[in-house]
Amino acid sequence: MSLPPLVEPAADLTRDEVNRYSRHLIIPDVGMTGQKRLKNAKVLVVGAGGLGSPALMYLAAAGVGTLGIIDFDVVDESNLQRQIIHRQATLGLPKAESAAATVREINPLIELQVHNTALDRDNILDIFGRYDLIVDGTDNFATRYMVNDAAVLLGKPYVWGSIYRFDGQASVFWAEHGPCYRCLYPEPPPPGMVPSCAEGGVLGVLCASIGSIQVNEAIKLLAGIGEPLVGRLMIYDALEMTYRSVKVRRDPECALCGENPTITELLPDYEAFCGAVSVEAADAAQDSTITVHELKAWQDADEKIFLVDVREPNEYEIVSIPGATLIPKGEFLNGNALELLPQDRRIVLHCKSGVRSAEALAVVKNAGFADAVHVGGGVLAWVRQIDPSLPSY
C-alpha cells in the first residue's frame, strides 16, 4: 500500500547539501523533491542503544533535517559490542550526548534535538508532538506500549523494531492507515516469558540489520515512495538468513484503535500493565529478599545455606558467585529442580538481577521451603558491591 508523503518539501537545498546527497538525488524515486522532504522532516529516535545506533547514524547521513534523540541511560562497556554510535572514550557519559557527538561528526548540516531524559507518560505527548515520525528503538514492553499509545493518540506513524539473539522483527504502525502495535500484541507476554536482550543476549550485527530496515521505512514514509511495512510484520532470521513477511490486520476490537476504543488516554502505569515479575513472584519475594551484603555475611559466618544460581550455563561461565550451584530457572518451572534441593539447609536463590530468581522463589516456596529467599540485584549487585574484580555483563 503506497502512502502520500509524510512531509512537504523544503524550499531548496544548499550547494553543500546537493554535493552531500548527490547519490540520492540521481535516484528517480527520490530526486530533489524527495531529498527536500527529508530536509524538512523531523524524526525522533527513542533510545540510543542497539537499534537507535544505526538508525540515528543513517538518518543523519540521509539528511533528515531535524533529528531527535531521547535516552536517559549512560554508556556502559557491555554496550560497545552492538551500540556502534558510542565509543570507548564515551564510557560513563549520557547515551544521548554520546550519540549526538557521533551524529554531529556524520552530518553537521542537520539540526539535533537532544532529550537526555527518561520517556514517561508526563512528557511523551509533548515530546512526540514536536516530530513528524517516531523510530522506536526501545527494548522493553512497558515503553513499547507507551510509545504505541502516544503515537495513536497523536495520530503519528512510527517505525518499530525488535531484536533478540539472532532474530529480528520490524513493522510500521500507523492507525490512520493500518494496525497499531496493540492489534498485533493486545496484551504483553506473561512476566518472565520473554527474556530481554540483557538476559538472553543479541548478536551485535543484528542491530544494524533491523536498524537499517527501520531507516529504510522512515525514508519511504517521509518521501512517499515504495510500499511501507504498514500492515505487515517483517521477520528476519540471521542464522538461517531468511526474511518473511506476515500480514497484520487492524483489529476492529482493538482497545486503542478499534471501532469502540476503551483506551482513550495514556495508562497511569505502564510498568504495572506489563509487569516485571508475576504476581506470584512479587508475593514470594516481598519478605524474602536479601542483599548481597547479607549473603556475604551468611557465607562468612558459615550459615547453613544452599546457594542456587538460576541463570543459564553460558551466563554461569561468564561470572558466578562463589559457592553457587547452577540450576537453571527452567528446571524449577518444570519441577525437576525440587528434588535437588536439600531439606537441612536454607535455600538462597540468585540470578543476574533478581527477576528470574523471584520467579524460581515462588516455585520453591510453593513446594514447602518456607524460609527460602532470593538475592536482590543478583550477580550484578555482587560484582558492584562485593567483588568488583569480577567481570560483569
Side-chain angles (χ1 to χ4, degrees):
M1 172 175 61
S2 59
L3 297 173
L6 192 58
V7 295
E8 293 299 317
D12 54 29
L13 298 179
T14 66
R15 179 178 179 276
D16 288 343
E17 288 169 337
V18 170
N19 289 338
R20 179 178 286 264
Y21 308 128
S22 61
R23 297 304 185 271
H24 275 177
L25 302 180
I26 58 178
I27 302 174
D29 288 344
V30 181
M32 288 291 288
T33 300
Q35 192 63 46
K36 288 178 182 178
R37 293 188 194 279
L38 295 182
K39 179 179 179 178
N40 203 33
K42 298 178 180 179
V43 177
L44 175 69
V45 177
V46 182
L51 292 175
S53 290
L56 285 162
M57 294 167 75
Y58 270 109
L59 287 167
V64 169
T66 301
L67 191 54
I69 307 170
I70 182 165
D71 200 305
F72 68 95
D73 204 358
V74 297
V75 182
D76 179 80
E77 194 169 12
S78 67
N79 302 148
L80 302 183
Q81 161 259 6
R82 64 200 178 282
Q83 299 179 19
I84 57 171
I85 204 165
H86 307 299
R87 301 288 184 268
Q88 186 75 21
T90 62
L91 287 175
L93 296 180
K95 283 187 179 179
E97 297 292 346
S98 171
T102 300
V103 167
R104 291 187 184 101
E105 287 294 319
I106 292 173
N107 191 349
L109 303 181
I110 66 172
E111 180 183 342
L112 275 179
Q113 301 288 337
V114 180
H115 307 277
N116 186 16
T117 185
L119 196 65
D120 58 39
R121 73 179 310 276
D122 294 324
N123 63 22
I124 188 170
L125 295 178
D126 174 59
I127 293 174
F128 277 21
R130 308 174 200 178
Y131 296 90
D132 303 304
L133 177 67
I134 313 299
V135 175
D136 182 10
T138 58
D139 62 356
N140 66 86
F141 289 104
T143 310
R144 286 174 185 167
Y145 278 96
M146 184 172 62
V147 166
N148 175 78
D149 294 358
V152 172
L153 293 173
L154 292 170
K156 304 276 184 182
Y158 77 99
V159 186
W160 171 80
S162 175
I163 50 175
Y164 178 68
R165 291 185 175 169
F166 296 96
D167 301 320
Q169 299 180 358
S171 189
V172 173
F173 295 111
W174 193 357
E176 184 178 336
H177 297 282
C180 77
Y181 182 76
R182 286 181 180 270
C183 296
L184 179 62
Y185 299 114
E187 298 286 341
M193 181 67 69
V194 181
S196 67
C197 290
E199 291 181 341
V202 60
L203 186 69
V205 72
L206 180 68
C207 303
S209 301
I210 301 302
S212 62
I213 288 171
Q214 290 181 278
V215 175
N216 187 66
E217 293 304 300
I219 291 173
K220 287 157 60 178
L221 289 167
L222 296 168
I225 59 177
E227 299 281 338
L229 280 172
V230 175
R232 290 184 293 149
L233 174 68
M234 192 226 67
I235 302 171
Y236 172 53
D237 184 330
L239 275 183
E240 300 295 331
M241 192 46 66
T242 58
Y243 289 87
R244 60 190 179 97
S245 182
V246 177
K247 287 187 177 180
V248 181
R249 302 189 184 279
R250 185 172 187 173
D251 182 4
E253 302 298 321
C254 177
L256 182 67
C257 73
E259 296 173 0
N260 298 292
T262 56
I263 299 175
T264 57
E265 59 183 9
L266 295 175
L267 301 184
D269 190 340
Y270 282 89
E271 292 288 346
F273 171 67
C274 292
V277 296
S278 67
V279 174
E280 294 80 7
D283 289 344
Q286 187 170 6
D287 297 313
S288 301
T289 301
I290 65 169
T291 68
V292 289
H293 290 285
E294 289 175 295
L295 171 60
K296 183 67 165 61
W298 287 0
Q299 289 180 324
D300 291 344
D302 203 21
E303 295 282 346
K304 295 185 67 176
I305 63 172
F306 185 65
L307 180 61
V308 181
D309 186 334
V310 305
R311 297 174 301 155
E312 296 302 309
N314 55 321
E315 294 178 271
Y316 186 82
E317 288 180 6
I318 298 171
V319 61
S320 62
I321 297 177
T325 298
L326 177 66
I327 307 177
K329 186 187 80 169
E331 296 298 300
F332 287 90
L333 299 184
N334 65 26
N336 292 337
L338 297 176
E339 63 186 27
L340 304 176
L341 302 181
Q343 300 287 334
D344 61 342
R345 286 188 280 169
R346 189 174 196 175
I347 307 304
V348 180
L349 307 168
H350 87 81
C351 62
K352 180 179 181 179
S353 62
V355 175
R356 284 174 283 177
S357 58
E359 299 287 348
L361 181 65
V363 175
V364 170
K365 282 185 169 293
N366 255 357
F369 295 87
D371 64 346
V373 296
H374 87 125
V375 182
V379 71
L380 293 183
W382 182 274
V383 172
R384 285 194 305 267
Q385 301 176 38
I386 304 299
D387 189 357
S389 70
L390 294 174
S392 189
Y393 70 104

